[in-house]
Amino acid sequence: MEEERLLDGLVSGPDDADYHLDLFGLDVPHATESIRLMLERNRFRAPRTILVTLGEPDPYGKGNLFQPVGRQLLDARRGGIIDAMKPITSDHGPGFWLRTVGNEKASAEPAER
């Protein structure tokens, strides 16, 4: 069914990004600072895709990173730093796939993992 295909595109995503930022085990201040630093560095690099994983959700409901990280990434998208993004599920738990605007004049670097 067409609706299922569209929904699958929203909640599942590529694990094969140019860069992977794993925030598992971090609290909100450390996770958001890691995102800030990653986005700042990527402003000067060639555009690339990034997989941001959050780890498995806390079964007790405390310390969930999805909402604060999602808001931070949406703000970066509105600010023109991120070109595209979507929430994903992966083997590493929930997260986000994104593509940075970067610097078109920068040379492409080997992918970091």
Side-chain angles (χ1 to χ4, degrees):
M1 180 182 277
E2 181 67 20
E3 292 171 354
E4 290 174 7
R5 185 185 65 77
L6 292 173
L7 182 59
D8 186 52
L10 289 175
V11 296
S12 63
D15 267 339
D16 57 343
D18 297 324
Y19 181 75
H20 180 186
L21 178 63
D22 185 2
L23 301 176
F24 178 71
L26 296 181
D27 58 9
V28 172
H30 287 99
T32 54
E33 181 64 10
S34 293
I35 293 283
R36 188 192 69 74
L37 290 171
M38 180 266 307
L39 292 173
E40 180 64 24
R41 285 190 303 267
N42 279 284
R43 288 182 44 222
F44 305 104
R45 294 185 171 140
R48 64 181 175 170
T49 57
I50 299 170
L51 181 67
V52 178
T53 54
L54 309 175
E56 292 299 323
D58 182 357
Y60 303 106
K62 49 185 173 176
N64 188 336
L65 296 175
F66 193 82
Q67 190 175 34
V69 167
R71 285 183 178 165
Q72 184 179 15
L73 293 173
L74 280 173
D75 287 345
R77 179 144 191 228
R78 289 181 191 120
I81 297 169
I82 295 175
D83 180 42
M85 66 175 277
K86 71 176 182 175
I88 55 120
T89 58
S90 73
D91 294 340
H92 309 285
F96 298 91
W97 174 91
L98 53 104
R99 183 176 55 236
T100 62
V101 172
N103 179 353
E104 291 288 341
K105 295 179 183 178
S107 63
E109 303 172 22
E112 298 174 38
R113 292 275 173 186

